[in-house]
Amino acid sequence: MARTLIRKRGAARQQGAGAEQTVDAVVVGAGFAGLYAIYRLRQLGLSVQAFERGSGVGGTWYWNRYPGARCDIPSLEYSYQFSEELQQEWEWSERYAPQLEILRYIEHVADRFDLRRSIRFDTQVESASFDEATLRWTVRTRQAGTWNAQFVILATGCLSSTNLPSFEGLDSFQGIWAHTGDWPREDLDFRGRRVGVIGTGSSGVQCIPVIAEQAEHLTVFQRTPAYSVPAHNEPLSPEVQARVKAEYPAFRKRNSQMPTGGFADAGANLRRAAEDSPEARQANFEAFWKKGGLAFMGAYRDLLVSRESNAAAADFVRGKIRGIVRDPKKAEMLMPRHEFGCKRLCADTGYYDTFNRPNVSIVDISRSPIERITPDGLRTRDAHYPLDCLVFATGFDAMTGSILRIAIRGRAGLPLKEKWVAGPRTYLGLMSEGYPNLFFVTGPGSPSVLSNMVPAIEQHVNWIADCIGHLRVANLRGIEASRNAEDAWVSHVNEVAGQTLLPSCNSWYLGANVPGKPRVFMPYLGFPAYVAKCNEVASKGYEGFEITP
Ligand code: NA7
């Protein structure tokens, strides 16, 4: 099996792409966001062209095909609500849907609403440049020529640009390697192989138990231990599904009023940890552990604010790890020491228990860093580990990576990369000053990854479509964030995050996982307040935006 995995990203540049083509709107990406943007913009009567670098729809759920990949938001919440027929007719099989089922769902949506005819697949958007004379964008693609559009919608995903650390020697590796966020379409067979997994965030926590069952030996290379709670995934009973469907709009509304836009029915506790005795706290955490999944973040209302409450949750999870993992040395290694929930909480199926298997070992690469990949394995400062397969569960250049890999030039030709050199700057995570008519779906500065992504996407696309509809009806040519509104919003996003413990560890929310990335807290905490602000801005004639007559 001496085979290095080489996947070709995007076919070669097509010849004779022809003259520039003109549409009203270009959409980049065909995941949840891109598909809904096509749907809404077509409804407005716009001509729309979408580009997608994958060969199919699905975005995140197209690329993340690693073993064990599934959503950590309940299926009945992680789905579109724009069509009552759609939400009534689709049947979810599990409490947390696996990757393939979500992909099938997205494919169904693309077919049901006839969206594929607006999408060019296997097409990489390379640049977008704003022309101040015409107030239009020129969008260059690698495979489908050049397009001229009034509006550009970047539905490029928050976690779509993989972070592959630049370890020396990867090119020399004779085995198979893959990144969880860019998993090959053919199944990788780990049976009888010595496998290494680098990374223990959500993707590592999901794939490690599954790979451990197949591999001859699995070595987990851990830099930072993760806090993980059991998902308690289970088949979704027809009764539960029918109950939600009987009142789907009310169910959605309840969720939209939660700080994260979800988990309303999980019953968040409105108490502070300090209000309970140590015994009562223990019992409360135990009850939330039994509920399972990310609902654990609702165990106390001040988990992300009070150091005392946070430390109690952290102690509780460390106690669980001590109880599950039999080898005390392994248990100690697996115990996180950073603030609880400051990196995104993981939801697992048998993660800690996997380390009781005789074929699973763990290496602390914070003490003994990886020095290089060798032709037959991986060398840390202290040892060499022979490997047949290497899995990089090393995450993403989150929130800005997939935007900035497009060479975007706004007014005066200013590259967005230059404008964002000290961190992303947006108004409401929707637009950036100097880049008129260019919209981000769930961009930095919006709730995005701190909320349930699908409702957050729908809210953003609805706002963008309503805005474009307003411009067209009023015969206006453009909209752009104002400098003052943007500055105030950037400060506000940081101020809100600064009132919590979220900025206190090296998380991807801060860009801390990517060497050289500016350390700025990117998402906005508080879905209901954010939605209210967006609605207010629109109702006041797009306050904080400048409109070109
Ligand atoms: P994450 O959560 O960013 O996890 C990546 C993991 O890889 C994490 O344990 C990192 O350790 C580790 N990592 C990253 N770079 C390196 C290097 N250079 N060396 C060693 N280890 C490294 O990504 P996931 O894909 O698991 O999850 C992303 C989100 O997708 C998730 O939160 C859900 O929202 C869905 P670190 O913690 O940085 O020390």
Side-chain angles (χ1 to χ4, degrees):
M1 126 137 165
R3 181 168 76 89
T4 308
L5 187 75
I6 302 169
R7 266 158 293 123
K8 290 196 188 105
R9 173 53 65 72
R13 188 185 293 273
Q14 279 173 9
Q15 296 302 311
E20 185 173 284
Q21 303 188 59
T22 300
V23 283
D24 293 324
V26 158
V27 172
V28 188
F32 271 107
L35 290 183
Y36 186 48
I38 297 169
Y39 175 82
R40 281 298 319 265
L41 296 178
R42 273 210 218 140
Q43 266 187 340
L44 290 173
L46 269 73
S47 55
V48 184
Q49 182 60 54
F51 301 107
E52 165 56 55
R53 68 193 168 95
S55 306
V57 297
T60 287
W61 302 102
Y62 174 89
W63 297 107
N64 285 265
R65 296 164 188 258
Y66 61 86
R70 70 174 66 246
C71 193
D72 55 12
I73 307 282
S75 315
L76 288 162
E77 296 180 36
Y78 193 82
S79 50
Y80 288 117
Q81 56 193 294
F82 70 86
S83 159
E84 180 61 14
E85 295 77 22
L86 173 67
Q87 63 181 4
Q88 287 298 331
E89 75 199 9
W90 186 264
E91 294 284 316
W92 294 104
S93 69
E94 294 178 60
R95 181 177 177 193
Y96 298 105
Q99 172 267 334
L100 192 59
E101 189 168 338
I102 304 176
L103 185 60
R104 294 284 170 265
Y105 169 77
I106 301 174
E107 288 170 346
H108 168 74
V109 171
D111 293 333
R112 194 188 192 288
F113 299 98
D114 186 25
L115 303 175
R116 289 182 201 264
R117 67 182 159 86
S118 296
I119 309 166
R120 298 254 182 141
F121 293 103
D122 298 305
T123 301
Q124 182 104 28
V125 171
E126 292 188 317
S127 68
S129 308
F130 184 67
D131 180 344
E132 294 190 63
T134 61
L135 300 184
R136 292 180 69 90
W137 286 89
T138 301
V139 177
R140 291 198 169 78
T141 73
R142 191 164 160 73
Q143 294 88 1
T146 301
W147 294 71
N148 183 285
Q150 186 181 5
F151 301 103
V152 175
I153 322 292
L154 295 180
T156 38
C158 293
L159 296 162
S160 301
S161 184
T162 52
N163 171 40
L164 183 68
S166 54
F167 294 124
E168 255 182 67
L170 181 58
D171 286 350
S172 73
F173 187 58
Q174 293 299 300
I176 287 183
W177 67 268
H179 189 289
T180 49
D182 189 4
W183 200 256
R185 299 190 73 171
E186 68 273 17
D187 264 352
L188 294 188
D189 185 358
F190 294 116
R191 281 174 303 177
R193 314 283 184 216
R194 296 161 303 177
V195 183
V197 172
I198 305 175
T200 51
S202 296
S203 305
V205 161
Q206 287 189 336
C207 72
I208 283 165
V210 184
I211 295 175
E213 282 177 11
Q214 301 169 3
E216 179 191 297
H217 191 89
L218 170 63
T219 309
V220 175
F221 297 93
Q222 172 191 269
R223 186 163 74 177
T224 310
Y227 289 101
S228 188
V229 290
H232 296 320
N233 185 37
E234 59 190 4
L236 194 56
S237 77
E239 294 75 33
V240 169
Q241 197 143 194
R243 198 168 65 229
V244 168
K245 286 184 176 179
E247 51 131 19
Y248 230 140
F251 175 81
R252 299 291 195 182
K253 185 147 193 231
R254 280 201 298 284
N255 283 308
S256 73
Q257 287 158 350
M258 302 296 289
T260 58
F263 292 99
D265 290 1
N269 180 3
L270 297 180
R271 295 167 68 78
R272 296 186 170 87
E275 293 174 52
D276 280 349
S277 66
E279 297 73 30
R281 278 186 201 176
Q282 188 69 11
N284 182 52
F285 284 132
E286 197 65 59
F288 274 86
W289 186 266
K290 284 207 176 82
K291 281 183 200 201
L294 304 189
F296 192 90
M297 293 303 299
Y300 285 106
R301 63 186 281 200
D302 59 351
L303 272 192
L304 282 178
V305 181
S306 147
R307 288 212 171 263
E308 185 190 348
S309 176
N310 193 278
D315 275 347
F316 176 83
V317 177
R318 283 193 290 266
K320 283 290 179 192
I321 298 170
R322 204 173 289 118
I324 297 169
V325 181
R326 289 193 288 274
D327 175 346
K329 269 199 197 137
K330 276 186 179 175
E332 187 57 36
M333 267 186 179
L334 285 161
M335 281 184 211
R337 300 288 166 190
H338 55 277
E339 289 74 5
F340 177 82
C342 145
K343 289 176 187 248
R344 190 179 156 106
L345 182 62
C346 303
D348 72 89
T349 300
Y351 176 64
Y352 295 120
D353 192 34
T354 297
F355 293 90
N356 290 325
R357 296 177 65 104
N359 70 332
V360 176
S361 47
I362 177 163
V363 177
D364 181 352
I365 52 171
S366 70
R367 283 168 193 266
S368 179
I370 295 174
E371 284 192 338
R372 61 177 299 123
I373 313 291
T374 64
D376 61 345
L378 181 158
R379 181 180 301 289
T380 66
R381 197 178 56 199
D382 299 314
H384 181 259
Y385 300 87
L387 299 169
D388 304 306
C389 308
L390 192 46
V391 173
F392 290 87
T394 45
F396 301 89
D397 180 354
M399 307 217 56
T400 54
S402 56
I403 294 173
L404 293 179
R405 72 178 160 202
I406 302 170
I408 299 170
R409 288 175 180 273
R411 286 194 190 278
L414 183 69
L416 187 63
K417 213 175 199 155
E418 233 169 79
K419 182 180 169 187
W420 285 8
V421 73
R425 301 190 71 76
T426 70
Y427 180 36
L428 299 171
L430 280 161
M431 300 192 90
S432 192
E433 181 256 342
Y435 300 81
N437 293 357
L438 178 102
F439 296 91
F440 311 109
V441 183
T442 63
S446 75
S448 56
V449 293
L450 291 180
S451 64
N452 178 357
M453 283 305 302
V454 185
I457 283 168
E458 278 184 301
Q459 183 260 338
H460 253 201
V461 171
N462 284 334
W463 192 96
I464 293 165
D466 291 348
C467 173
I468 291 176
H470 166 80
L471 297 178
R472 287 172 74 89
V473 167
N475 209 13
L476 302 167
R477 294 169 71 203
I479 183 164
E480 177 179 356
S482 77
R483 171 68 68 91
N484 287 345
E486 181 171 295
D487 288 349
W489 185 253
V490 171
S491 307
H492 177 62
V493 172
N494 279 294
E495 194 186 304
V496 172
Q499 291 161 3
T500 73
L501 297 169
L502 281 168
S504 56
C505 69
N506 291 327
S507 71
W508 55 259
Y509 297 139
L510 277 167
N513 62 327
V514 176
K517 192 166 171 173
R519 197 180 171 100
V520 173
F521 196 82
M522 293 180 284
Y524 180 70
L525 182 64
F527 187 70
Y530 174 81
V531 174
K533 171 78 177 169
C534 288
N535 292 343
E536 183 194 317
V537 162
S539 70
K540 290 186 174 166
Y542 296 94
E543 190 180 51
F545 290 95
E546 279 159 19
I547 300 213
T548 318

